[in-house]
């Protein structure tokens, strides 16, 4: 039997999906040639606009074109290339350490489980879920600030943190929607600030 919250989710997701599924807008975790680039970019994308992160990281990877080069680069060089990104010092330190761990412990491959991914410096559950979806085609609910906000605005969950939201959504959202949820809610959330449910609904009614 479908729960009330599942019905609410399906109703709002289907409307949002109808509007945003054809969008060509690129998010930070999408469109990279190599898996390790997707992972490193996702680390940098936290609390940073995709519009800033993507061009910065394209430049980084033009200079440090392999995982080995990135892992061997001085942190100071990585910092100088990424200083336009919020918290670039911490993210540069974590990203270099992650690159080194990928080479040392995983044969240069990006792990395919949440449990292994969260062992990497700078990787939390949000990043780990995005990676298993984008790289490994597994089911995962990637909860960033937009997914967290929208889920609470519509009463799907009543949570204080993204991690709590992820676990709550797993009980509400049918599994076949898990990997689709993040992109649609992020595109929607980028267009609506605040927590006004009516503004979210109005955005869905606007003609594209």
């Amino acid at each position: 039997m479908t729960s009330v919250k599942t019905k609410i989710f399906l109703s709002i997701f289907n409307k949002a999906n109808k509007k945003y599924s054809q969008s060509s807008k690129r998010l930070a975790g999408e469109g990279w040639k190599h898996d390790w680039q997707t992972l490193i970019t996702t680390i940098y994308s936290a609390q940073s606009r995709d519009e800033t992160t993507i061009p910065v990281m394209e430049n980084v990877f033009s200079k440090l074109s392999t995982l080995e080069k990135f892992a061997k680069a001085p942190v100071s060089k990585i910092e100088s290339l990424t200083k336009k990104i919020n918290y670039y010092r911490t993210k540069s330190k974590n990203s270099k350490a992650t690159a080194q761990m990928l080479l040392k412990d995983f044969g240069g491959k990006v792990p395919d489980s949440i449990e292994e991914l969260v062992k990497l410096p700078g990787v939390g559950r949000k990043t780990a879920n995005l990676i298993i979806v984008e790289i490994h085609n597994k089911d995962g609910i990637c909860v960033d600030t937009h997914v967290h906000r929208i889920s609470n605005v519509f009463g799907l969950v009543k949570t204080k943190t993204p991690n709590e939201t992820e676990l709550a959504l797993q009980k509400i959202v049918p599994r076949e929607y898990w990997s689709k949820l993040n992109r649609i809610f992020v595109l929607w959330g980028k267009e609506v600030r605040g927590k006004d449910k009516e503004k979210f609904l109005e955005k869905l009614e606007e003609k594209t």
Side-chain angles (χ1 to χ4, degrees):
M1 185 174 177
T2 304
S3 73
V4 172
K5 286 186 177 181
T6 298
K7 289 179 180 178
I8 295 171
F9 165 77
L10 291 172
S11 174
I12 64 171
F13 179 83
N14 288 334
K15 289 177 183 177
N17 188 55
K18 185 176 181 180
K19 176 160 187 175
Y20 295 107
S21 62
Q22 301 304 313
S23 173
S24 60
K25 188 177 182 66
R26 181 184 177 191
L27 302 181
E30 300 171 343
W32 298 100
K33 184 177 181 180
H34 301 292
D35 292 350
W36 69 271
Q37 294 175 338
T38 303
L39 174 57
I40 296 299
T41 301
T42 305
I43 292 173
Y44 275 100
S45 71
Q47 296 178 284
S48 181
R49 287 168 53 84
D50 292 350
E51 294 81 359
T52 300
T53 304
I54 291 170
V56 167
M57 297 313 295
E58 285 176 338
N59 182 55
V60 169
F61 299 141
S62 73
K63 304 282 196 304
L64 305 172
S65 56
T66 67
L67 179 60
E68 289 77 11
K69 288 179 180 178
F70 192 95
K72 290 178 181 177
V75 172
S76 58
K77 179 173 183 178
I78 299 174
E79 287 179 351
S80 71
L81 292 170
T82 59
K83 59 186 178 182
K84 290 183 180 179
I85 296 176
N86 293 336
Y87 311 110
Y88 70 94
R89 288 192 175 92
T90 298
K91 292 174 181 178
S92 294
K93 181 180 177 182
N94 285 336
S95 294
K96 177 179 169 69
T98 283
Q100 292 174 327
M101 279 188 68
L102 291 180
L103 291 169
K104 179 176 179 288
D105 299 335
F106 299 100
K109 304 293 184 183
V110 175
D112 65 354
S113 72
I114 300 288
E115 293 72 26
E116 293 291 345
L117 283 162
V118 295
K119 294 177 183 177
L120 298 169
V123 176
R125 288 192 66 88
K126 185 206 84 168
T127 296
N129 272 289
L130 188 143
I131 293 304
I132 65 168
V133 170
E134 288 292 328
I135 294 178
H136 299 297
N137 296 313
K138 291 188 173 184
D139 297 325
I141 300 179
C142 175
V143 178
D144 69 345
T145 55
H146 298 295
V147 174
H148 177 63
R149 180 164 54 106
I150 291 171
S151 298
N152 276 277
V153 164
F154 283 90
L156 297 174
V157 301
K158 190 175 182 180
T159 52
K160 296 186 183 300
T161 69
N163 284 355
E164 290 177 0
T165 300
E166 179 203 339
L167 296 177
L169 287 176
Q170 286 179 1
K171 300 174 183 177
I172 298 165
V173 178
R175 199 174 185 94
E176 63 264 32
Y177 290 86
W178 285 16
S179 63
K180 304 172 186 176
L181 189 157
N182 179 264
R183 176 173 171 80
I184 299 303
F185 276 18
V186 168
L187 292 173
W188 189 16
K190 281 177 174 287
E191 293 192 345
V192 184
R193 297 191 178 190
K195 300 180 180 180
D196 188 328
K197 184 190 295 187
E198 293 307 314
K199 287 184 178 179
F200 278 103
L201 293 173
E202 285 172 8
K203 181 58 65 174
L204 297 184
E205 299 301 323
E206 287 181 5
K207 300 295 183 182
T208 53

